[in-house]
C-alpha cells in the first residue's frame, strides 16, 4: 500500500475542522487500505507505532537530529535548514518547502524518466513503518547517527507531502486534531458497523490498529467476540460525582454498595500463571514500580488467569497509616526500586474482578463480580478487599462517609448493585458515584484542566509564566474550551520549572483543537493536565467553556482558581468535561437560588 495515500489524507484532515467530515475522510482512506497494513496506518494517524500500553515508543531524534536528517536527505547545508526553520517554525513545513522546490527543479528530469518508462519508486506504508520502528528500537552509543541516517533515507525517498508528515510524526507533533473518537467513527462508517460496537471493542481491547485489522480482515462480526485478555489492559470504568446523599441513593438504587475511596493509584492487575502485569489508570504498564505487589498477587490470588482491580495505597512504614497519593511518586522517581519498596511501602485494596480463568465477567452484575473476587483472593492485611458496607438509607450512608473521612479517605465510591450493574469499561456513568469530602465544604470540588497556553510573568515572575490558560474537554467536538487563567497555588519551585516543563509543547499558533477567544502569549499543545480548585463557578463573556449553554454568547469560568497538583496520570481527553463544568455550575446555582424549603414568610 502506497504511503502517498496516507499523506494525501492527512493533508486533507489537517484542513478539515469538522469532526464529521474528518470521519468520512478517514473512512474513505480505511476502505482503500490493505488489511495487512491498516493497523500501521491507524498508528501513524495516532502519532504512535503501537498502543501506549505496549510501552511508549521513543524515536529519540530531537530537533537538531531532524535538522541534520533533512540536510542529508536534500543534500543542503544544515544552516540553510535552520534558517528556514526560524522563519516557518515547523520542520514539517521546512522539509515540504525544500522538497517542492527540488521537485520543481527536477521536473524536466522526471519528464525524462516518465518518457523512458523508468518506474519511480513509491514509498509504501510498510517501509515507512518498519523504518520508524527500527529507529525506535535502536539504543545506546552510536545509535543517534544511525537513527538520523535512517530518517534521512526515508525522507529522500518521500515526496513533499509524505516528508512533511514523516517529520511531524518523528517530532511527535502531527497536529491533525484527530482523536480516537474520530478514528472510531471513521472505522464504523468504512466497515458498515455501529460506532457503539467499535467503542465497546476498543474499551475491552484498546488497540485501534488491531481492531481495524479485524474489521478489514474478518468484518464487524469479529468485534463481537472480543473478550478481556490477561496482559492487555481494559479501559477503566469511571465514576460520576454527586454531593447530595439522597441524590446518590436515588441514582444508585438501594440497597447499594458504599466503599472507601482510597487516595492512591488505580491498579488493573492481570495474572497469567506466574506472570503478573499492573496497568495504571492510563493503561501504562507500571509493573516494574511494584515488585512487592507482584509478589502479593502471586501469593494471594488463587486463580491461574485473572484480571482484578484495586487501588495501591502508600502507607507509613512506621505506623502503617495511609499516606497521600503523592507518596507513590517516589516509586516512579527512585532508581533503586528495592530501596523504594522499603522506604515507601504500599498496600492494595481490591474492588473489582473482570475475568477469571476464561470467564468474561464484564457483563455480570457487581455482586457476582465481587463473589468471584472473594473466592479467588486469600485476604491479608496488605492485600484485601476495599472497606465497604451495603447501605439502604441516607443515615447509613452519612455514617459510613464520616467513618471514611475519619480514616483519612477522600470519601466514598457508591456503587449500584442492580441486575444491570455491569462493568462499563471506558465509561463514566452513574453505576459508580464518587462522594468526596470537598463537596461538604463551601468550595467546589477540584477539577482537572488541560493547559493550552500561558501568559508571560511580570515582576517577581519575569522569565517564567505568570498564569496558565486552562481548558475543559468537550468530547462532542473533540476540543478544549478555556475556563480560567490559573496564576496562584504554585510554589516558587513550580513556577521556576514551568518554562522548561512546557518547552516541548510550545506552538507558534493556537492548536486546532483549542477553542479560545483569549489570545495567550504562548500556545501549547494540549497535553498537560492539572488539578485546580476555585471559589465558585461564574458566567464569563471571555471563556468558551459552555458558551451559550446558560446565556447566549456567555461561557462559564472558575473564580479564584488555584493550582493543586499536576495530574500525570490523566491524559488530556480524561480532563473534566464541559458537561461536568455545566453540571457543577447548575448545582451550585440551585443551592443559591432555589431554597429546598419554603421561606418562613411564604
Ligand atoms: P479522582 O480524580 O477523584 O481520583 P478519577 O477521575 O481519577 O477521580 P473516577 O472514576 O472519577 O476517577 O473516581 C474513581 C477513582 O477512585 C478510581 O479511578 C480509583 O483510582 C479511585 N478509587 C479509590 N477507591 C475506589 C473504590 N473503592 N472503587 C473504585 N475506585 C476507587
Amino acid at each position: 500500500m502506497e504511503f502517498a495515500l496516507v499523506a494525501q489524507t492527512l493533508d486533507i484532515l489537517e484542513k478539515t475542522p469538522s469532526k464529521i467530515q474528518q470521519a468520512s475522510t478517514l473512512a474513505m482512506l480505511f476502505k482503500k487500505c490493505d488489511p495487512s497494513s491498516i493497523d500501521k496506518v491507524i498508528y501513524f494517524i495516532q502519532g504512535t507505532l503501537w498502543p501506549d500500553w505496549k510501552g511508549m515508543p521513543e524515536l529519540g531524534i530531537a530537533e537538531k537530529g531532524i535538522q541534520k536528517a533533512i540536510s542529508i536527505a536534500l543534500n543542503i547545508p544544515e544552516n540553510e535548514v535552520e534558517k528556514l526553520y526560524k522563519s516557518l517554525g515547523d520542520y514539517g513545513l521546512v522539509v515540504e518547502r525544500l522538497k517542492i522546490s527540488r521537485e520543481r527543479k527536477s521536473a524536466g528530469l522526471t519528464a525524462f524518466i516518465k518518457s523512458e518508462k523508468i518506474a519511480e519508486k513509491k514509498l509504501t506504508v510498510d517501509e515507512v513503518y518498519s523504518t520508524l520502528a527500527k529507529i525506535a528500537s535502536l539504543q545506546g552509543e552510536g545509535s543517534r547517527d544511525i537513527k538520523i541516517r535512517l530518517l534521512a533515507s526515508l525522507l529522500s525517498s518521500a515526496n513533499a507531502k509524505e516528508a512533511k508528515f514523516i517529520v511531524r510524526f518523528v517530532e511527535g507533533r502531527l497536529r491533525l486534531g484527530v482523536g480516537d473518537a474520530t478514528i472510531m467513527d471513521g472505522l464504523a462508517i468504512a466497515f458498515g458497523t455501529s460506532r457503539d460496537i467499535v467503542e465497546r471493542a476498543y474499551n475491552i481491547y484498546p488497540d485501534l490498529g488491531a481492531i481495524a485489522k479485524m474489521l478489514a480482515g474478518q468484518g464487524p462480526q469479529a468485534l463481537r467476540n472480543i473478550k478481556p485478555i490477561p496482559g492487555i489492559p481494559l479501559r477503566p470504568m469511571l465514576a460520576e460525582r454527586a454531593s447530595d446523599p439522597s441524590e446518590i441513593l436515588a441514582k444508585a438504587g438501594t440497597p447499594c454498595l458504599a466503599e472507601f475511596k482510597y487516595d492512591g493509584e488505580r491498579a488493573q492487575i492481570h495474572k497469567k500463571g506466574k506472570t503478573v502485569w499492573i496497568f495504571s489508570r492510563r493503561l501504562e504498564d507500571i509493573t516494574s514500580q511494584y515488585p512487592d505487589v507482584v509478589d502479593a498477587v502471586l501469593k494471594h490470588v488463587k486463580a491461574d488467569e485473572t484480571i482484578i482491580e484495586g487501588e495501591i495505597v502508600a502507607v507509613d512504614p512506621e505506623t502503617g497509616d495511609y499516606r497521600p497519593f503523592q507518596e507513590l511518586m517516589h516509586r516512579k522517581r527512585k532508581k533503586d526500586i528495592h530501596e523504594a519498596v522499603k522506604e515507601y511501602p504500599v498496600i492494595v485494596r481490591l474492588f473489582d474482578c473482570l475475568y477469571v480463568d476464561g470467564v468474561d465477567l464484564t457483563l455480570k452484575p457487581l455482586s457476582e463480580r465481587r463473589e468471584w473476587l472473594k473466592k479467588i483472593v486469600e485476604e491479608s492485611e496488605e492485600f484485601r478487599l476495599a472497606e465497604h458496607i451495603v447501605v439502604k438509607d441516607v443515615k447509613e450512608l452519612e455514617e459510613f462517609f464520616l467513618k471514611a473521612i475519619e480514616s483519612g479517605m477522600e470519601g466514598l465510591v457508591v456503587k449500584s448493585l442492580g441486575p444491570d450493574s455491569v462493568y462499563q469499561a471506558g465509561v463514566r456513568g452513574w453505576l459508580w458515584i464518587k462522594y468526596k469530602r470537598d463537596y461538604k465544604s463551601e468550595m467546589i470540588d477540584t477539577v482537572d484542566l488541560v493547559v493550552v497556553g500561558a501568559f508571560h510573568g511580570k515582576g517577581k515572575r519575569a522569565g517564567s509564566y505568570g498564569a496558565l490558560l486552562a481548558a475543559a474537554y468537550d468530547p462532542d467536538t473533540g476540543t478544549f474550551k478555556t475556563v480560567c487563567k490559573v496564576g496562584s497555588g504554585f510554589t516558587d519551585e513550580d513556577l521556576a520549572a514551568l518554562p522548561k516543563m512546557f518547552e516541548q509543547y510550545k506552538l507558534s499558533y493556537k492548536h486546532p483543537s483549542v477553542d479560545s477567544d483569549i489570545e495567550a502569549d504562548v500556545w501549547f499543545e494540549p497535553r498537560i493536565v492539572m488539578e485546580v480548585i476555585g471559589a465558585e463557578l461564574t458566567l464569563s463573556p471571555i471563556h468558551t467553556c459552555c458558551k451559550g449553554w446558560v446565556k447566549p454568547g456567555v461561557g462559564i469560568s472558575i473564580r479564584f482558581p488555584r493550582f493543586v497538583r499536576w495530574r500525570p496520570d490523566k491524559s488530556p481527553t480524561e480532563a473534566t468535561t464541559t458537561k461536568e463544568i455545566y453540571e457543577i455550575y447548575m448545582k451550585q446555582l440551585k443551592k443559591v437560588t432555589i431554597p429546598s424549603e419554603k421561606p418562613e414568610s411564604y
Side-chain angles (χ1 to χ4, degrees):
M1 180 184 167
E2 286 175 19
F3 184 66
L5 194 60
V6 180
Q8 277 157 15
T9 308
L10 300 190
D11 207 45
I12 300 170
L13 288 173
E14 195 181 28
K15 298 175 190 130
T16 312
S18 146
K19 296 286 153 200
I20 299 174
Q21 275 172 18
Q22 279 187 337
S24 55
T25 306
L26 282 171
M28 278 193 280
L29 171 68
F30 296 155
K31 277 190 214 162
K32 290 183 202 148
C33 280
D34 188 335
S36 65
S37 306
I38 192 169
D39 51 343
K40 300 172 190 110
V41 172
I42 300 259
Y43 299 141
F44 195 93
I45 296 170
Q46 289 180 312
T48 188
L49 291 171
W50 46 74
D52 292 351
W53 50 264
K54 287 192 178 165
M56 295 281 259
E58 284 280 348
L59 288 169
I61 305 184
E63 276 196 8
K64 287 277 171 228
I66 292 176
Q67 195 171 296
K68 191 157 182 199
I70 298 176
S71 122
I72 298 172
L74 283 127
N75 196 18
I76 53 169
E78 255 189 74
N79 59 4
E80 268 185 48
V81 181
E82 191 174 4
K83 214 163 102 200
L84 200 52
Y85 175 70
K86 283 198 175 131
S87 74
L88 295 174
D90 170 3
Y91 281 112
L93 291 180
V94 169
V95 74
E96 184 183 40
R97 178 83 59 95
L98 289 169
K99 280 260 169 188
I100 289 174
S101 71
R102 182 65 57 87
E103 278 163 13
R104 282 200 190 120
K105 275 191 205 145
S106 62
L109 181 64
T110 315
F112 165 76
I113 291 170
K114 279 193 181 142
S115 70
E116 292 294 302
K117 294 207 166 46
I118 300 170
E120 283 174 70
K121 196 180 163 310
K122 300 259 169 68
L123 205 52
T124 66
V125 167
D126 288 1
E127 270 172 289
V128 174
Y129 184 88
S130 62
T131 309
L132 293 171
K134 177 92 202 279
I135 292 175
S137 72
L138 291 168
Q139 274 177 4
E141 225 175 287
S143 65
R144 182 176 174 268
D145 283 348
I146 311 174
K147 282 172 188 264
I148 292 171
R149 294 210 168 265
L150 281 169
L151 177 59
S153 80
L154 202 52
L155 294 179
S156 68
S157 328
N159 67 28
K161 267 196 190 62
E162 293 170 336
K164 172 170 83 174
F165 290 109
I166 291 171
V167 161
R168 286 190 180 165
F169 180 95
V170 173
E171 272 190 297
R173 298 181 179 189
L174 271 182
R175 304 179 174 123
L176 298 171
V178 173
D180 290 352
T182 314
I183 297 177
M184 284 192 269
D185 284 335
L187 286 172
I189 301 170
F191 298 104
T193 183
S194 84
R195 163 63 196 271
D196 285 353
I197 290 178
V198 178
E199 193 162 342
R200 157 95 187 145
Y202 175 58
N203 287 334
I204 302 283
Y205 191 97
D207 181 342
L208 283 179
I211 287 175
K213 214 167 179 173
M214 286 182 216
L215 280 168
Q218 304 156 52
Q221 195 52 36
L223 300 194
R224 294 188 186 273
N225 305 328
I226 288 186
K227 271 196 203 160
I229 302 173
I232 298 177
L234 288 84
R235 297 186 68 220
M237 175 168 178
L238 298 171
E240 272 292 352
R241 58 176 90 201
S243 51
D244 175 29
S246 337
E247 183 195 352
I248 292 174
L249 294 185
K251 296 259 192 210
T254 46
C256 56
L257 186 77
E259 279 178 341
F260 275 13
K261 184 175 192 307
Y262 297 90
D263 183 18
E265 173 156 31
R266 184 163 184 162
Q268 197 178 92
I269 300 170
H270 294 225
K271 176 177 184 280
K272 185 174 184 174
K274 296 257 171 289
T275 311
V276 174
W277 299 261
I278 305 172
F279 294 102
S280 73
R281 185 186 184 289
R282 288 185 69 171
L283 314 187
E284 281 154 348
D285 188 336
I286 50 171
T287 317
S288 62
Q289 290 163 32
Y290 298 108
D292 41 352
V293 175
V294 171
D295 288 345
V297 173
L298 292 174
K299 192 166 153 201
H300 297 289
V301 177
K302 288 179 285 177
D304 187 43
E305 284 194 7
T306 186
I307 302 174
I308 54 180
E309 270 200 319
E311 191 89 348
I312 297 180
V313 195
V315 288
D316 189 312
E318 306 291 327
T319 61
D321 290 347
Y322 295 117
R323 306 284 301 133
F325 157 83
Q326 283 84 344
E327 287 289 295
L328 295 173
M329 293 299 130
H330 295 293
R331 291 268 182 133
K332 297 189 200 303
R333 290 193 207 112
K334 272 257 176 188
K335 289 222 169 63
D336 182 347
I337 189 61
H338 296 288
E339 211 177 283
V341 165
K342 274 194 228 131
E343 264 181 71
Y344 306 100
V346 298
I347 50 131
V348 180
R349 293 294 175 258
L350 300 161
F351 51 76
D352 222 311
C353 183
L354 316 184
Y355 172 90
V356 178
D357 293 330
V359 185
D360 174 6
L361 299 174
T362 55
L363 296 174
K364 305 280 184 216
L366 179 60
S367 49
E368 195 174 329
R369 303 202 303 277
R370 285 177 51 82
E371 281 308 313
W372 275 99
L373 193 56
K374 281 188 213 152
K375 207 157 96 183
I376 64 166
V377 173
E378 250 165 27
E379 295 189 76
S380 74
E381 178 40 41
E382 78 269 16
F383 195 85
R384 62 176 158 82
L385 269 65
E387 192 97 9
H388 62 275
I389 58 164
V390 173
V391 292
K392 292 179 290 309
D393 56 38
V394 169
K395 190 167 163 280
E396 282 175 351
L397 182 61
E398 284 286 70
E399 275 170 14
F400 195 56
F401 178 75
L402 288 178
K403 182 175 172 204
I405 298 298
E406 277 160 23
S407 312
M409 299 298 122
E410 286 191 301
L412 299 175
V413 184
V414 180
K415 300 179 178 178
S416 164
L417 285 173
D420 57 355
S421 56
V422 296
Y423 186 88
Q424 293 179 309
V427 176
R428 189 184 288 284
W430 288 103
L431 291 177
W432 286 10
I433 305 169
K434 53 183 174 180
Y435 179 23
K436 290 209 286 191
R437 183 177 32 193
D438 302 338
Y439 308 132
K440 294 294 252 180
S441 76
E442 286 306 303
M443 288 185 297
I444 58 164
D445 178 28
T446 60
V447 285
D448 299 315
L449 302 175
V450 183
V451 181
V452 296
F455 303 86
H456 295 308
K458 297 191 187 93
K460 224 179 96 190
R461 295 188 178 186
S464 179
Y465 297 123
L468 301 179
L469 184 59
Y473 180 59
D474 180 354
D476 292 337
T477 56
T479 56
F480 298 92
K481 303 200 182 256
T482 71
V483 69
C484 60
K485 283 188 200 175
V486 185
S488 60
F490 298 102
T491 62
D492 290 347
E493 287 103 60
D494 289 336
L495 278 176
L498 289 178
K500 194 154 175 244
M501 177 172 176
F502 282 95
E503 182 58 34
Q504 56 177 317
Y505 304 122
K506 242 173 157 176
L507 299 172
S508 53
Y509 55 88
K510 187 168 68 179
H511 191 276
S513 66
V514 171
D515 182 2
S516 171
D517 288 345
I518 297 175
E519 261 311 304
D521 292 340
V522 186
W523 292 109
F524 299 131
E525 257 181 83
R527 288 284 192 98
I528 302 282
V529 180
M530 62 179 170
E531 191 170 332
V532 170
I533 190 146
E536 61 176 3
L537 291 177
T538 166
L539 293 179
S540 152
I542 60 168
H543 285 286
T544 50
C545 176
C546 309
K547 195 161 186 175
W549 294 14
V550 184
K551 259 190 186 169
V554 176
I556 296 179
S557 80
I558 298 176
R559 243 180 119 211
F560 303 133
R562 288 177 61 77
F563 168 82
V564 177
R565 58 177 168 158
W566 301 112
R567 291 294 308 251
D569 56 328
K570 284 204 172 175
S571 69
T573 53
E574 286 169 333
T576 301
T577 62
T578 46
K579 194 166 156 252
E580 286 176 276
I581 298 271
Y582 175 74
E583 279 161 6
I584 302 171
Y585 175 81
M586 292 311 282
K587 229 166 247 170
Q588 194 188 279
L589 203 66
K590 268 188 223 148
K591 270 193 203 145
V592 179
T593 56
I594 313 169
S596 51
E597 290 182 16
K598 290 172 196 161
E600 304 262 313
S601 58
Y602 188 79

